[in-house]
Amino acid sequence: MRILHIVDGIPPAVLGGTGRIVTEIARSQTKAGHDVAILSAATSGTLPDTLNGIKIFTIEPKSERWAHWRSVFSVSREKIIFQKIRSFQPDIVHAHTISRQIGYGWMPKMKRHGIRLIVTCHDVSHIAYGKIWPGKAPSWQQDLMRYRWSWNPFRHVLIRSFLKSANHILTVSDALKTELKLHKF
């Protein structure tokens, strides 16, 4: 089976936990005999072309400033992501944390091309800009005051519609699953 993992960043380019988890999952799938690749945002030359038998595809990272707009509106980013997906020709695309660099616009094309899409939510980035308190959704006024120009009033509605393209949505904890249900995901 050909599996493509998509994540905003992997080590050593980004030292976050999601990238490490994705790398370990991909390594295990490669050992099991699958053809596995990872698509991640990284500056040219910071990641090798292959890592322990895993093919690595990269896109150039963009500024964090407009991430919440670009993640749902950037047609050019969507085209780049989809070209990388088509070049690998996966049976399954497994998206992880993609809210800052990769974005969501490419998701509806997966169904049209017969590629299964699995999304794993590692954090609240699909439903909120930052931290949330259990059982209480942040108000749009709080988000506007906290994130100012990077706040996008259409973000959550568009992400919800893009995630409808997924065949499965997984969460890493029951608490996160509860929050996603609270926000109608």
Side-chain angles (χ1 to χ4, degrees):
M1 185 174 294
R2 295 175 66 81
I3 304 167
L4 176 64
H5 291 277
I6 301 180
V7 64
D8 275 348
I10 61 170
V14 175
L15 299 177
T18 302
R20 291 177 57 202
I21 291 168
V22 169
T23 305
E24 290 301 316
I25 291 170
R27 188 174 294 139
S28 296
Q29 290 170 335
T30 300
K31 285 181 183 176
H34 299 288
D35 190 6
V36 182
I38 298 173
L39 171 59
S40 179
T43 306
S44 296
T46 58
L47 293 175
D49 291 339
T50 59
L51 179 68
N52 299 326
I54 304 163
K55 184 175 269 190
I56 306 293
F57 295 102
T58 60
I59 59 168
E60 285 294 318
K62 300 276 188 175
S63 165
E64 289 284 320
R65 180 167 182 152
W66 299 107
H68 300 300
W69 289 88
R70 185 178 53 251
S71 69
V72 293
F73 288 125
S74 179
V75 174
S76 62
R77 195 65 151 184
E78 173 189 332
K79 286 179 183 177
I80 292 168
I81 300 299
F82 193 66
Q83 286 172 351
K84 300 281 184 174
I85 292 169
R86 294 277 315 253
S87 71
F88 184 64
Q89 298 178 340
D91 299 313
I92 295 174
V93 170
H94 191 167
H96 298 268
T97 302
I98 56 172
S99 60
R100 300 240 180 231
Q101 293 294 330
I102 302 294
Y104 300 89
W106 53 272
M107 288 182 169
K109 291 182 178 180
M110 297 299 98
K111 220 170 230 171
R112 284 181 273 182
H113 286 84
I115 302 170
R116 295 185 58 79
L117 175 62
I118 299 169
V119 177
T120 297
C121 301
H122 293 264
D123 57 22
V124 296
S125 62
H126 304 298
I127 59 174
Y129 290 94
K131 291 185 179 188
I132 61 172
W133 304 110
K136 185 179 179 192
S139 71
W140 68 269
Q141 294 97 337
Q142 289 172 320
D143 283 342
L144 177 60
M145 293 301 292
R146 193 178 332 170
Y147 295 100
R148 304 219 181 250
W149 294 107
S150 66
W151 180 72
N152 179 350
F154 309 106
R155 179 180 185 267
H156 302 307
V157 173
L158 290 170
I159 290 173
R160 189 177 299 120
S161 72
F162 290 138
L163 288 177
K164 286 181 181 174
S165 302
N167 295 92
H168 298 286
I169 297 177
L170 309 172
T171 60
V172 295
S173 71
D174 289 337
L176 184 54
K177 184 177 183 176
T178 301
E179 287 301 318
L180 286 173
K181 283 183 180 177
L182 179 70
H183 289 82
K184 298 176 181 85
F185 277 81

